[in-house]
Amino acid sequence: MKNLFLFLTMAALGLPAQAASPPNIIYILADDMGYGDVHVLNPGRCKIATPHMDRLAAEGMFFTDAHTSSSVCTPTRYGILTGRYNWRSRLQNGVLDGYGKPLIPTDRLTVPAFLKKNGYTTAMVGKWHLGLDIATIDGKPAAPKSTKSLRAKMGKGAFAPEEVSNIDWRGTIHGGPVDLGFDSWYGITASLDFPPYVWIRDRNWVGSGTHAKAFRRPGPASEDLEAIDVLGKLERESVKFVSEYKGDNPFFVYIPLPSPHTPIVPTSQWKGKSGLGTYGDFVMQTDHVIGQIMKAVDDSEFADNTLVIVTADNGCSKAAKIDALEAQGHYPSAQFRGSKADLWDGGHRVPFIVRWPNEIKAGSQSDQAICLTDLMATCADLTGAKLPNNAGEDSVSFAPALKDNPIVSSRNGIIHHSISGHFAYRQGKWKLLLAKGSGGWTAPNEKAAANGGAPVAQLYDMESDPGETANLYTSQPEVAASLLAQMRADIDRGRSTDGAAASNDVDRIELWKSGQNQK
């Protein structure tokens, strides 16, 4: 009777009626992959073949208006796992490095911890980049030796571990995935251009940093870890989890891939495949990895009740040589302005493709706006469980959209954040940017925009001007003022959804970053 009541309630709300048998959830997160890098999303100007993501969309649904909470790595990952904007934490701009302290406290509810409490087996395979408590041999914070010293040691063979860093390679790691709700983790600390370059399983190093290597920044590395091999290793580990899963409980597996982020290192099998250079090749290899994980799902007995989500942590990076790609007819940001790090949509509008054969109509599309913080509330809907008031403060369920129903949201808009900490607010067709330029790496930056006489902020009609070319800030002051007031309220309340007011982790959040003191 309880399940029947739940079924009827969810049906009335337009939610997937799967609470009695909640789905397995596979969440694949590409790294620095633009909206326009997936052919099905950008058919006219995508020159990279992405057959597996295209097939996933053909068998499920793709979203055209999905956004990360930040246009760079660490903050987006914080939002995915907590359902909360990163700037409510101590991280007001930039990203952590491979030695950073944990950004998520162990007493904050995360998506895996929530699902675990509701009967799920949880696993992570891939890049963490949210900070770790790393044991050291001298009790001091983990840190590399000097860059000069490490570069001098590179290529000269093995060294005593203490010659490379003060990390205790036999010590226990805390504050990471297995302390935040994951039953298991196999992966790396951060991006492959942030040391230490040593594998981790659960709370322990797999090997030790007896070598000095640099995939960009020099640091301790294990002898057998090479950047070019990492993606393939994570592919095999992910496929193994899916293909060997025999548990009675549903599972949630989070697979944050390190590609096509730098170092852009496609294997020999993929070099030259795209005809666009190494970035195009690496996107194709990333698509292949997604295809192998999908094959493992398709070969299982649980394919029909498995929700697969493929998305990215931010837009394409300038390291991909965007100008050269565009000269060959490939546009990583599609029709949108900007790229990784920026406040313009190219920085944070990302691919978002879902497949769930039991519930999602094949070949469907949603134009509803969603944010990657929305995973937490969506999981609550899919399991029929209630989130506590002090969790998922910025999360709204997109479960209704999976059935082509309107998303019911108490959140008035979505807040965007750039690498430099600049804010933007999207509500309906309107987008307000509290920046004079990109707020990131694309020209003009704040100084150049100011020197060019740009207004203090930007306002765009995203329906008529998705490329953000016509700034309406000075001609639509009432709209700008309304959006600013709503954004301030969402920031000050400690949450952007209904519920009791919450607290941000910092006393003051600086809304204007360009030397302004606007009301």
Side-chain angles (χ1 to χ4, degrees), residues 183-472:
D183 293 316
S184 63
W185 171 40
Y186 183 80
I188 51 179
T189 59
S191 304
L192 277 169
D193 51 10
F194 280 115
Y197 308 117
V198 181
W199 289 108
I200 300 172
R201 190 175 292 279
D202 299 334
R203 294 187 179 90
N204 303 106
W205 299 102
V206 181
S208 58
T210 55
H211 287 64
K213 297 180 182 179
F215 304 133
R216 178 180 175 193
R217 301 169 180 90
S222 57
E223 183 178 8
D224 62 345
L225 194 152
E226 297 294 341
I228 198 168
D229 301 324
V230 169
L231 185 56
K233 179 68 173 175
L234 295 176
E235 172 196 318
R236 292 188 292 274
E237 195 79 14
S238 301
V239 168
K240 179 180 179 182
F241 176 88
V242 174
S243 60
E244 295 183 1
Y245 189 76
K246 303 298 182 186
D248 294 328
N249 295 336
F251 66 77
F252 168 66
V253 57
Y254 171 55
I255 308 174
L257 302 174
S259 61
H261 191 287
T262 52
I264 301 172
V265 283
T267 60
S268 59
Q269 177 187 354
W270 294 98
K271 283 184 179 178
K273 291 285 187 181
S274 69
L276 295 173
T278 54
Y279 178 76
D281 301 340
F282 211 26
V283 171
M284 289 185 68
Q285 184 177 353
T286 304
D287 180 70
H288 170 78
V289 171
I290 293 166
Q292 293 301 106
I293 297 169
M294 287 171 57
K295 183 179 184 302
V297 174
D298 292 340
D299 290 344
S300 74
E301 297 178 352
F302 44 74
D304 287 346
N305 197 31
T306 297
L307 171 62
V308 178
I309 299 172
V310 173
T311 185
D313 65 343
N314 47 248
C316 178
S317 170
K318 300 254 185 251
K321 300 180 181 178
I322 293 174
D323 289 346
L325 290 168
E326 290 183 350
Q328 298 175 84
H330 176 74
Y331 290 78
S333 298
Q335 68 269 38
F336 305 109
R337 188 179 184 184
S339 53
K340 176 181 178 177
D342 297 340
L343 213 49
W344 294 318
D345 263 31
H348 51 79
R349 189 184 295 234
V350 290
F352 197 89
I353 307 170
V354 296
R355 189 188 76 169
W356 183 8
N358 272 357
E359 297 294 339
I360 297 174
K361 181 182 177 182
S364 52
Q365 171 183 326
S366 176
D367 299 326
Q368 299 187 72
I370 63 171
C371 182
L372 295 202
T373 57
D374 294 342
L375 179 63
M376 176 79 86
T378 302
C379 288
D381 266 354
L382 298 181
T383 59
K386 182 176 174 57
L387 280 176
N389 192 59
N390 62 345
E393 294 93 334
D394 302 301
S395 190
V396 170
S397 175
F398 59 76
L402 304 181
K403 300 285 284 184
D404 199 28
N405 291 314
I407 293 173
V408 180
S409 177
S410 62
R411 184 177 63 200
N412 289 290
I414 296 173
I415 298 179
H416 306 305
H417 206 226
S418 74
I419 190 170
S420 54
H422 284 79
F423 282 93
Y425 195 71
R426 168 76 183 279
Q427 186 179 57
K429 72 175 185 175
W430 293 107
K431 180 181 175 186
L432 173 68
L433 295 78
L434 304 187
K436 300 171 184 175
S438 69
W441 295 340
T442 300
N445 60 21
E446 292 306 287
K447 183 177 181 180
N451 289 340
V456 67
Q458 302 166 65
L459 177 69
Y460 298 105
D461 180 338
M462 298 302 292
E463 286 184 1
S464 63
D465 182 25
E468 297 174 87
T469 60
N471 185 0
L472 305 177

Side-chain angles (χ1 to χ4, degrees), residues 75 80 87 90 97 101 117 123 144 151 154 159 191 195 212 219 228 282 329 352 385 404 446 458 469 508:
I80 291 170
W87 41 263
R90 72 174 192 269
D97 63 18
K101 287 292 185 180
K117 288 181 179 180
R151 289 199 183 278
M154 283 168 52
F159 295 85
S191 304
I228 198 168
F282 211 26
F352 197 89
D404 199 28
E446 292 306 287
Q458 302 166 65
T469 60
R508 180 174 179 270

Side-chain angles (χ1 to χ4, degrees), residues 67-70 85 87-88 371 394 411 413-417 422-426 486-488 490-491 496 511:
H67 299 265
T68 59
S69 57
S70 168
Y85 289 128
W87 41 263
R88 298 196 191 280
C371 182
D394 302 301
R411 184 177 63 200
I414 296 173
I415 298 179
H416 306 305
H417 206 226
H422 284 79
F423 282 93
Y425 195 71
R426 168 76 183 279
Q486 185 61 61
M487 178 161 51
R488 282 189 182 279
D490 287 349
I491 291 172
S496 55
L511 195 55

